């Protein structure tokens, strides 16, 4: 018994220096078990890189699929995200004779991820043939939907499971470590897939997708194995649960909540409009390879990790979370200006710098608005605040992605037919228009945030002491 706490202490000391939030380890939840549980985040990061990065670039550039169709494909799984709060609520109250609440949701979410990735190679084959193009697009939409829905279900139930098995005083650090592992998974996936597809062939792409499907099953099974104890006393309880609608109405009735949710939605839309465009932009305008454009997602994740670390330090020093969100919006404006000018300057380094700063801005904005949303919650509905943040953020992000693709295609068509004059008759005009709209939306976001910055600081700071950055949702 004496050896185990000392081992935990050793890993905490090592993690404090080398792995962010590794001090989440405890006697009840050792670091090894915690990192094994975090593998479901690695699988989610892998799927996110494939859907939002590699596949959208291949569909647009190599397969010449209209950008608006690809943008809608990517937006489909994001539209499932508004139900994350309901998914979490249902897993809280799940009835099961087996005694598991979270395991069924994580398992079926994993099957969704696997099934979507398994279908994708066949969808790509159908898309390449004119006579089966429509069927291929339908199959690709189904693949994106299954994969995305599986990601959301797995993440929501996995986060809930982590908070179930962690000690009360360690739960915030556990959630933070899970988010760090998500970003690490995205970086590893981006650079690995980029290297594997450096010499792009259709066969190699299919092999990568099939390998990702198999790896997803393996990672999630290892992550889930013997993590949740069976408890039929909870899953077979006959006590009536509170209505979800009543809890939601109580939350949104609080002062400043609606304005904050509006700012979250505007900011999420602003940052997300480029999600389906950044890699095709690098491929079509700057002539980057599939491997090089996939690496853009890795640099984005590096920027997000840097923002996470910076936010943690600032919040620990007592900074206003909404000021951090505003700083993220400012960083986003600078990032989109870099991305915009990368085309006329034919500068690949400027594009990669822009992708990094986009990740940094997203990280700051997400952390700041999440902590502020949690400050508006009551002590008993912190989970609802997480769900509200995720629902608004993901819904508006999905809408932004779809609009970005539609606007890019529409403006590019008008520009290439010289409807805007010979000077703007270029593919880059469509992309540039979207980047300019994102800058405008970020400016509007800052205007909406302005009146609530500093309000309720006592409430936010009080909650941040026990919640803070480390409760940032995965």
């Amino acid at each position: 018994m004496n050896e185990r706490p000392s081992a935990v202490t050793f890993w905490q000391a090592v993690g404090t220096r080398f792995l962010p939030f590794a001090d989440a380890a405890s006697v009840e939840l050792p670091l090894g078990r915690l990192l094994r549980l975090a593998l479901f985040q690695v699988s989610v990061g892998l799927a996110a890189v494939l859907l939002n990065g590699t596949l959208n670039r291949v569909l647009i550039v190599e397969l010449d699929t209209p950008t608006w169709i690809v943008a809608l494909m990517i937006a489909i799984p994001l539209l499932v995200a508004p139900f994350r709060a309901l998914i979490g609520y249902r897993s809280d109250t799940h009835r099961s004779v087996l005694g598991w609440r979270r395991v069924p949701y994580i398992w079926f979410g994993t099957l969704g991820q696997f099934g979507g990735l398994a279908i994708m190679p066949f969808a790509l084959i159908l898309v390449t043939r004119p006579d089966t193009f429509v069927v291929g697009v339908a199959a690709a939409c189904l693949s994106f939907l299954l994969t995305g829905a599986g990601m959301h279900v797995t993440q929501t139930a996995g986060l809930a499971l982590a908070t179930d098995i962690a000690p009360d005083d360690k739960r915030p650090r556990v959630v933070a470590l899970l988010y760090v592992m998500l970003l690490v998974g995205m970086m590893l996936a981006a650079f690995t897939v980029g290297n594997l597809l450096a010499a792009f062939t259709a066969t190699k792409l299919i092999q990568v997708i099939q390998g990702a499907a198999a790896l997803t099953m393996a990672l999630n099974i290892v992550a889930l194995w013997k993590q949740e104890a069976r408890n039929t006393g909870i899953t077979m309880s006959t006590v009536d649960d509170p209505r979800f609608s009543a809890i939601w109405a109580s939350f949104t009735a609080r002062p400043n909540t609606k304005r904050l949710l509006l700012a979250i939605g505007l900011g999420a839309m602003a940052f997300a409009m480029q999600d389906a465009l950044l890699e095709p932009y690098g491929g079509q305008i700057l002539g980057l390879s599939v491997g090089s454009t996939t690496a853009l997602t890795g640099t984005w994740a590096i920027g997000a990790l840097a923002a996470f670390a910076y936010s943690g330090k600032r919040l620990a020093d007592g900074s206003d979370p909404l000021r951090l969100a505003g700083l993220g919006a400012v960083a986003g404006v600078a990032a989109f200006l870099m991305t915009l000018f990368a085309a006329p300057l034919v500068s690949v380094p400027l594009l990669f710098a822009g992708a990094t700063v986009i990740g940094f801005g997203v990280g700051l904005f997400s952390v700041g608005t999440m902590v502020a949303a949690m400050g508006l919650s009551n002590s008993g509905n912190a989970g609802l605040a997480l769900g509200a943040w995720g629902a608004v953020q993901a819904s508006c992000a999905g809408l932004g992605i779809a609009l970005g693709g539609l606007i890019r295609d529409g403006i590019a068509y008008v520009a290439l037919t010289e409807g805007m004059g010979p000077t703007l008759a270029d593919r880059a005009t469509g992309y540039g228009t979207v980047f300019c709209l994102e800058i405008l939306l970020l400016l509007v976001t800052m205007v909406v945030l302005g009146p609530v910055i500093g309000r309720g600081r006592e409430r936010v700071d009080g909650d941040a002491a026990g919640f803070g950055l480390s409760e940032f949702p995965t």
Side-chain angles (χ1 to χ4, degrees), residues 299-468:
T299 60
W300 176 93
I302 291 174
L305 272 175
F308 192 80
Y310 176 75
S311 299
K313 184 178 184 304
R314 288 291 301 275
L315 288 171
D317 293 338
S319 295
D320 185 347
L322 289 181
R323 289 191 185 278
L324 281 179
L327 179 60
V330 173
V333 171
F336 290 124
L337 285 174
M338 292 184 209
T339 307
L340 180 64
F341 283 105
L345 296 177
V346 195
S347 175
V348 173
L350 191 59
L351 176 60
F352 274 85
T356 305
V357 181
I358 289 173
F360 186 77
V362 169
L364 288 181
F365 183 81
S366 300
V367 168
T369 53
M370 185 65 249
V371 173
M374 287 303 301
L376 295 173
S377 68
N378 294 319
S379 58
N381 67 349
L384 180 63
L386 292 171
W389 183 92
V392 174
Q393 189 270 345
S395 299
C396 292
L399 179 60
I401 290 172
L403 287 176
L406 290 169
I407 293 170
R408 180 266 172 198
D409 276 3
I411 296 298
Y413 175 80
V414 174
L416 291 174
T417 55
E418 296 193 2
M420 304 173 72
T423 303
L424 297 177
D426 190 274
R427 284 182 178 270
T429 302
Y431 291 106
T433 301
V434 175
F435 297 147
C436 289
L437 285 174
E438 289 181 295
I439 292 172
L440 178 61
L441 276 174
L442 286 174
L443 294 174
V444 175
T445 301
M446 286 187 274
V447 172
V448 174
L449 272 179
V452 297
I453 289 179
R455 290 191 180 185
R457 279 300 306 280
E458 297 81 4
R459 172 78 187 199
V460 172
D461 291 342
D463 287 351
F467 169 75

Side-chain angles (χ1 to χ4, degrees), residues 13 23 42 66 116 118 123 132 137-138 161 167 193 198 220 285-286 294 330 359 361 385 449:
D23 57 342
V42 177
T132 58
V137 169
L161 175 59
V193 172
N220 287 3
I285 307 304
L286 297 177
T294 300
V330 173
L449 272 179

Side-chain angles (χ1 to χ4, degrees), residues 31 59 144 174 179-180 225 269 272 315 354 357 401 411 432 459 464:
L31 186 59
L59 285 167
F144 274 71
V174 168
Y179 179 65
V180 170
W225 185 255
M269 183 182 295
L315 288 171
V357 181
I401 290 172
I411 296 298
R459 172 78 187 199

